[in-house]
Amino acid sequence: MKLFYRFAGISVLTFLAGMHCASATEYPLPPENSRLIGENTTWVVPDDRQPLESVAKKYKVGLLGLLEANPGTDPWLPKPGTQLTIPAQMLLPDTKREGIVVNVAELRLYYYPKDENKVIVYPIGIGQLGANTPAMVTSISQKIPNPTWTPTPNIRKRYAAEGKSLPVTVPAGPDNPMGLYALRLAYGKQHYLIHGTNADFGIGMRVSSGCIRLRPDDIEALFNSVPKGTRVQIINQPVKYAVEPDGKRYLEVHQPLSHSENDDPQTMPIALTAAAKKFINSDASDRAVIKAAIERRAGMPVLVNEGEKVTGDSPVPVNEAQRDPAALKGNAAPITKAGKGSA
């Protein structure tokens, strides 16, 4: 089953490297003409027989994001001594920097606190195949502590097809798949929420029934920070790109969301906007590096030029190790088990 196969910058305020207990990842907000934030770091897998999710949770990243950055890694039992790249560097989505921005393609939520010069990034779980989280521009209509869960008719149908029966309402508490906090969105019939979870697995994956899921600590922090009425935008941008103030050109490619169980997100075509095509076809872009980045789909920014200055001066050399196409090769390992039954 290929559904789950989809699976240097400004310094991070909350440093990831060497931390024993990570909190929400906060980045200084770059100027409007810049989108590159954060720095990648590394982690050596200890001999503790813990799944890859334990590393993802420790560093506040999504599971599939780790697999994109570290192809071939066993998600259930990563090999001790393996050095993993923690994908903490990224490009901000190409959209308005206000309120909450969710990019389903990269399985991340960006929160821009009002009148604060920072952005907070959370890994998320989104709707599984057949229960896609739709694109929208909306707002938070209700903040719900200790939510109950009332499955919709469509959710009941999906469960019934698997021979499972759901109660009319799941009460608040440890058995509620919505966790302890929920933010209701004003979109449509207001069935979509940003909420927590009672599961230890599924953040950074397509496992929900259409809602946006965060880890318990993350939803608590977001719930306590976001006021009712906050703007929420949900987008689908598997390809992000930027020309930074120093002239360096970056491309960040994620595996696109599957449309059917027969799709292979590592090889399926990625639709490009006219602006993305213009960026790719520019004489300032290295076509070979871009081709390799699109094939590799590492989910991390890749430098695709020599770092020429925007002033028109001669190009400034950039460390060749940052743009070696050979470093972009590899394929992500599939996850073949689906965690269904979530809100």
Side-chain angles (χ1 to χ4, degrees), residues 12 15-20 38-46 52 55-56 58-59 61 66 69-70 81-89 300:
V12 184
F15 288 100
L16 297 179
M19 292 186 65
H20 297 287
E39 296 177 352
N40 295 329
T41 187
T42 58
W43 166 256
V44 177
V45 178
L52 196 62
V55 181
K58 175 184 178 67
Y59 287 102
V61 297
L66 265 183
N70 301 277
T82 301
Q83 180 172 285
L84 301 178
T85 296
I86 307 299
Q89 186 179 64
M300 298 179 290

Side-chain angles (χ1 to χ4, degrees), residues 259-280:
H259 302 300
S260 75
E261 292 190 6
N262 294 322
D263 287 338
D264 181 348
Q266 186 61 37
T267 58
M268 63 186 288
I270 301 178
L272 297 173
T273 64
K277 291 178 181 177
K278 182 178 179 180
F279 174 89
I280 289 171

Side-chain angles (χ1 to χ4, degrees), residues 175-299:
D175 295 328
N176 191 315
M178 292 180 65
L180 300 179
Y181 302 92
L183 301 168
R184 187 177 301 280
L185 303 184
Y187 177 84
K189 296 181 179 180
Q190 301 195 39
H191 288 161
Y192 292 99
L193 300 98
I194 301 172
H195 62 76
T197 180
N198 65 342
D200 293 330
F201 198 81
I203 300 302
M205 298 178 67
R206 297 185 67 182
V207 293
S208 80
S209 295
C211 290
I212 297 161
R213 173 194 294 187
L214 281 79
R215 293 190 177 103
D217 290 348
D218 288 345
I219 186 60
E220 182 177 5
L222 187 65
F223 184 92
N224 291 330
S225 301
V226 176
K228 180 181 176 181
T230 295
R231 182 182 189 269
V232 177
Q233 182 177 12
I234 299 178
I235 59 176
N236 183 4
Q237 291 183 4
V239 175
K240 299 187 293 181
Y241 55 90
V243 180
E244 290 297 291
D246 60 2
K248 293 179 182 177
R249 306 170 71 87
Y250 290 91
L251 185 71
E252 180 181 329
V253 185
H254 296 263
Q255 294 177 351
L257 301 181
S258 304
H259 302 300
S260 75
E261 292 190 6
N262 294 322
D263 287 338
D264 181 348
Q266 186 61 37
T267 58
M268 63 186 288
I270 301 178
L272 297 173
T273 64
K277 291 178 181 177
K278 182 178 179 180
F279 174 89
I280 289 171
N281 293 325
S282 169
D283 291 339
S285 297
D286 188 319
R287 308 284 181 81
V289 176
I290 287 177
K291 182 177 183 293
I294 292 176
E295 291 176 352
R296 169 66 175 83
R297 305 180 184 189

